[in-house]
Amino acid sequence: MQVPSPIHQLKLPLLKEKNVEVWVKRDDLIHAEVSGNKWRKLKYNLEAYHKGDYQSMLTFGGAYSNHILATAKLGSDFGIPTHGIIRGEKHLPLNPTLLKAEELGMQLHYISRTEYRSKHTEEFLNRLKEQFGNVYIIPEGGGNIEGVVGCKDIVKEVNNDFDYVMTDCGTGATLAGINLALNTNQKAVGIAVLKGGTFIIEEVKRFYELMNEDLIHLKRIDLITDYHFGGYAKHKQELITFMRDLYKQTGVKTDPVYTGKLFFALIDLIKKDYFPEKSKIVVVHTGGLQGIEGFEKRYNCSIYEE
Ligand SMILES: *Cc1c(COP(=O)(O)O)cnc(C)c1O
């Protein structure tokens, strides 16, 4: 596990031209299977697991979930039995994500999409506890208080001065944590990867209420919802071409579900003068690279080789 993760300056002609500085917080380099922000979110959950009297860990995710694989890997490393509740039907052969999770010893349980929607109700959680005994349950994506607190560490590790920190958002837990670690004169910019991403602010607010944090913190957040490229895990050639070019020019690999959209948004916002001159921007590369292989198989495409 490479923590603290490195930070690299991004060099591109556009940045010089617009007179802004961009630093990439390389959480993608933390681990190949424990994807960047998933480590941040699982770290204090692991501590909570060890403090309690639990026998296994259980969490939820879609078939390509970075969080499922991260949990499976940590379970295997720490000798914790893990259960993954997977949305939708089982498909054989397993995709690379679920195959690795299973090889790491995670027990996979498939539930219907309808059932999955009710996964956080008390009734459903009680059923899980009956079925699995003394189990430590982590919400989808690692989105609980421990998860949010872990994401504060991303900012705490950055020693240089900056004006903006940018991240991609699925549930909003990462954005919530990052934002809590900022000074009043810094801003958090969140890029929603799902369609209709305005719910993310509600989620951040819900986390702050749970944590008894002042809602004034919400004022530092700018949530941008028009870079979803059609929604979660959709194939859009414009995005793939961008990711390929970015990799050629900077050596930074991104994934098509999360970080490709984040970097696309970063470059596009700079082009549109969203950031004032002389801004220093930290962009958090949240990881997700394990998902590339599954995406390529699913869409029969090759992202980094033409
Ligand atoms: C899960 C994930 C996200 C989304 O994080 P949230 O805390 O759910 O908003 C972003 N990037 C990557 C690579 C992820 O795996």
Side-chain angles (χ1 to χ4, degrees):
M1 214 74 75
Q2 194 183 358
V3 182
S5 64
I7 186 162
H8 293 155
Q9 189 169 9
L10 200 68
K11 302 271 188 183
L12 284 169
L14 174 74
L15 309 181
K16 251 203 181 133
E17 187 191 309
K18 295 286 187 181
N19 197 12
V20 294
E21 246 178 51
V22 176
W23 294 82
V24 187
K25 178 68 172 152
R26 300 293 305 269
D27 271 21
D28 57 316
L29 300 178
I30 288 180
H31 194 281
E33 280 166 337
V34 186
S35 175
N37 71 339
K38 299 306 184 282
W39 164 246
R40 305 292 184 176
K41 294 197 274 186
L42 284 167
K43 181 180 167 196
Y44 296 112
N45 275 299
L46 269 178
E47 278 188 22
Y49 174 90
H50 285 299
K51 270 190 206 140
D53 176 29
Y54 298 103
Q55 282 150 359
S56 65
M57 210 175 238
L58 177 149
T59 196
F60 310 86
Y64 296 89
S65 167
N66 295 325
H67 171 68
I68 284 289
L69 181 60
T71 307
K73 173 68 179 153
L74 289 176
S76 147
D77 283 1
F78 289 89
I80 303 167
T82 52
H83 297 281
I85 309 291
I86 309 300
R87 181 183 60 224
E89 282 163 32
K90 179 173 184 174
H91 291 286
L92 287 174
L94 291 182
N95 73 49
T97 302
L98 293 184
L99 184 65
K100 271 183 229 149
E102 207 168 74
E103 282 169 0
L104 288 162
M106 179 178 259
Q107 281 190 49
L108 303 178
H109 313 270
Y110 299 82
I111 62 174
S112 73
R113 284 164 194 271
T114 318
E115 247 185 312
Y116 194 83
R117 255 174 256 130
S118 68
K119 66 186 175 301
H120 293 152
T121 60
E122 198 151 331
E123 191 201 337
F124 192 83
L125 294 175
N126 283 338
R127 254 201 290 151
L128 289 175
K129 282 176 199 158
E130 261 169 45
Q131 192 180 346
F132 297 110
N134 217 350
V135 61
Y136 183 84
I137 298 177
I138 304 174
E140 182 178 45
N144 56 11
I145 292 181
E146 286 78 6
V148 172
V149 170
C151 291
K152 286 163 92 171
D153 293 348
I154 303 173
V155 174
K156 289 189 198 155
E157 286 174 12
V158 177
N159 294 320
N160 36 351
D161 231 15
F162 65 91
D163 307 298
Y164 295 88
V165 60
M166 243 177 116
T167 188
D168 38 7
C169 308
T171 66
T174 305
L175 179 65
I178 282 175
N179 182 54
L180 277 183
L182 298 183
N183 299 324
T184 46
N185 56 346
Q186 294 172 317
K187 284 216 136 224
V189 181
I191 305 300
V193 305
L194 293 113
K195 241 190 209 168
T198 45
F199 73 90
I200 287 165
I201 280 295
E202 291 310 309
E203 275 296 284
V204 174
K205 189 170 161 220
R206 185 179 69 84
F207 285 127
Y208 290 174
E209 282 166 351
L210 278 174
M211 297 164 81
N212 285 320
E213 293 285 356
D214 198 326
L215 296 185
I216 195 135
H217 291 301
L218 292 170
K219 290 200 167 173
R220 287 192 302 266
I221 296 182
D222 193 4
L223 178 72
I224 300 181
T225 56
D226 25 77
Y227 292 102
H228 57 72
F229 285 88
Y232 192 77
K234 292 284 190 279
H235 182 285
K236 282 280 150 60
Q237 196 53 47
E238 186 189 14
L239 179 63
I240 306 290
T241 306
F242 169 83
M243 290 162 57
R244 211 177 262 160
D245 288 348
L246 181 76
Y247 178 58
K248 268 191 216 149
Q249 287 172 40
T250 67
V252 176
K253 247 188 199 178
T254 54
D255 78 288
V257 180
Y258 291 104
T259 53
K261 296 174 186 178
L262 170 68
F263 279 81
F264 188 100
L266 167 78
I267 298 299
D268 199 51
L269 290 171
I270 291 172
K271 282 184 186 159
K272 291 176 173 162
D273 298 316
Y274 171 91
F275 301 100
E277 265 192 69
K278 299 199 179 139
S279 291
K280 288 189 183 153
I281 307 151
V282 171
V283 54
V284 181
H285 192 319
T286 46
L289 302 182
Q290 73 82 22
I292 291 175
E293 193 189 342
F295 187 91
E296 288 179 332
K297 283 210 167 121
R298 181 174 173 195
Y299 289 107
N300 190 24
C301 67
S302 172
I303 295 177
Y304 290 106
E305 282 144 52
E306 281 163 274

